[in-house]
Amino acid sequence: MRTWCYGSKDPTENADLVAKQINLAQRYRNDLTAIELRRREWRAAIDPSDASALADLEATAAEVIREARAASGVYWGTYLIVEDAIQRARRSGGEIRFHRWNGAGILGVQIQKGMSVADLLAGTDRRARLVGFGRHRAIWLRVGSEGIDPIWAKFPIVYHRDLPATATVKWVRMAVHRTGTHAEWTALIILDGDGATTALPASDLSTVAVDVGWRKVPTGMRVAIWQDDAGRSGDLIVPQRLLDRWAK
């Protein structure tokens, strides 16, 4: 599977519900972290040869996780992402720790049995949609339900490259990271199938050699020179006006 990433902006619909779900997901992750730490303590106290006691421990832990999931308020799809992160930490046996709340997190919808790219672009699915034309489009992500009807969050994205037409969509996720006081959103579309892998086309252009080196020149700063196999050459210069602006 491969992931196609697109830059996104803050949600324009149901932003409050999005923020609430991300916060609840972070709390749920900390709840699962506490459960996993206790499970490790209990497992360390059990004789490794006592298969019955180990099975009882795992069954008890699974039941506690189900109860925590039911009480979390995290919507289906997103809680699967949280649980997968904890399960990977369990399998690796690595360090697991609590996370403080800083506004970062991830929402997601799993597309059970997969969905074609054409269906995602058609804008008729009840789990996730990618609608619009050209570079400026929107992802609609289901973040809740009202009866049987979906509650949508809408995220404007920059659709800078097409999805492979023959791939199968397995997940649609929206991740937010904090950079200083700003939130930066990214749309993540996880694809499977032969179409999920794209190969670069064979080049029919000349071979170019590039020599990177910084040197002050009368018109600015030279950062590289190049020459191709046809004897053509040139250089790349940062203009003085940009150097003056950055210095200020």
Side-chain angles (χ1 to χ4, degrees):
M1 285 194 283
R2 293 191 62 184
T3 302
W4 259 242
C5 301
Y6 300 92
S8 177
K9 295 183 179 180
D10 294 347
T12 57
E13 292 186 17
N14 287 315
D16 290 343
L17 180 56
V18 168
K20 180 179 180 181
Q21 278 292 303
I22 290 176
N23 179 261
L24 291 175
Q26 188 264 352
R27 294 185 182 184
Y28 182 45
R29 180 180 178 123
N30 282 341
D31 289 342
L32 294 186
T33 297
I35 293 170
E36 174 60 15
L37 291 174
R38 290 200 301 269
R39 189 194 71 87
R40 291 183 179 186
E41 291 179 359
W42 296 337
R43 189 179 181 90
I46 296 176
D47 184 346
S49 63
D50 191 342
S52 176
L54 292 173
D56 289 344
L57 170 60
E58 297 303 329
T60 300
E63 179 61 28
V64 173
I65 289 173
R66 284 192 291 269
E67 293 174 356
R69 177 195 303 157
S72 69
V74 181
Y75 192 62
W76 181 87
T78 300
Y79 71 65
L80 294 178
I81 299 173
V82 175
E83 292 174 1
D84 180 65
I86 298 299
Q87 288 170 2
R88 283 188 281 111
R90 172 188 290 189
R91 289 193 295 268
S92 69
E95 180 185 5
I96 184 171
R97 57 188 179 84
F98 297 100
H99 291 262
R100 66 180 180 86
W101 168 246
N102 64 357
I106 190 168
L107 302 173
V109 171
Q110 183 185 37
I111 311 300
Q112 290 181 312
K113 299 183 180 180
M115 173 171 58
S116 70
V117 169
D119 286 341
L120 178 68
L121 299 177
T124 58
D125 193 83
R126 295 172 62 85
R127 297 160 294 182
R129 302 172 180 177
L130 200 168
V131 297
F133 301 93
R135 285 174 56 85
H136 299 288
R137 305 194 185 191
I139 283 182
W140 292 19
L141 192 71
R142 185 169 183 167
V143 292
S145 298
E146 189 172 328
I148 62 173
D149 296 325
I151 298 176
W152 297 103
K154 183 178 178 182
F155 299 85
I157 71 166
V158 178
Y159 191 71
H160 65 276
R161 61 171 175 168
D162 290 331
L163 293 166
T166 59
T168 300
V169 181
K170 304 296 288 186
W171 281 89
V172 179
R173 299 177 178 180
M174 298 299 304
V176 59
H177 301 277
R178 302 296 301 188
T179 302
T181 59
H182 302 286
E184 296 183 356
W185 285 91
T186 304
L188 309 169
I189 300 177
I190 300 175
L191 305 174
D192 196 10
D194 295 338
T197 302
T198 57
L200 294 176
S203 174
D204 58 358
L205 302 178
S206 302
T207 301
V208 179
V210 179
D211 182 16
V212 178
W214 295 76
R215 176 170 294 183
K216 193 75 174 68
V217 296
T219 56
M221 181 72 71
R222 190 187 73 193
V223 299
I225 59 175
W226 61 270
Q227 182 172 335
D228 66 15
D229 54 9
R232 295 168 296 189
S233 62
D235 50 23
L236 177 63
I237 296 176
V238 178
Q240 187 62 44
R241 60 182 177 82
L242 292 181
L243 297 176
D244 294 340
R245 181 187 304 173
W246 295 335
K248 182 178 180 180

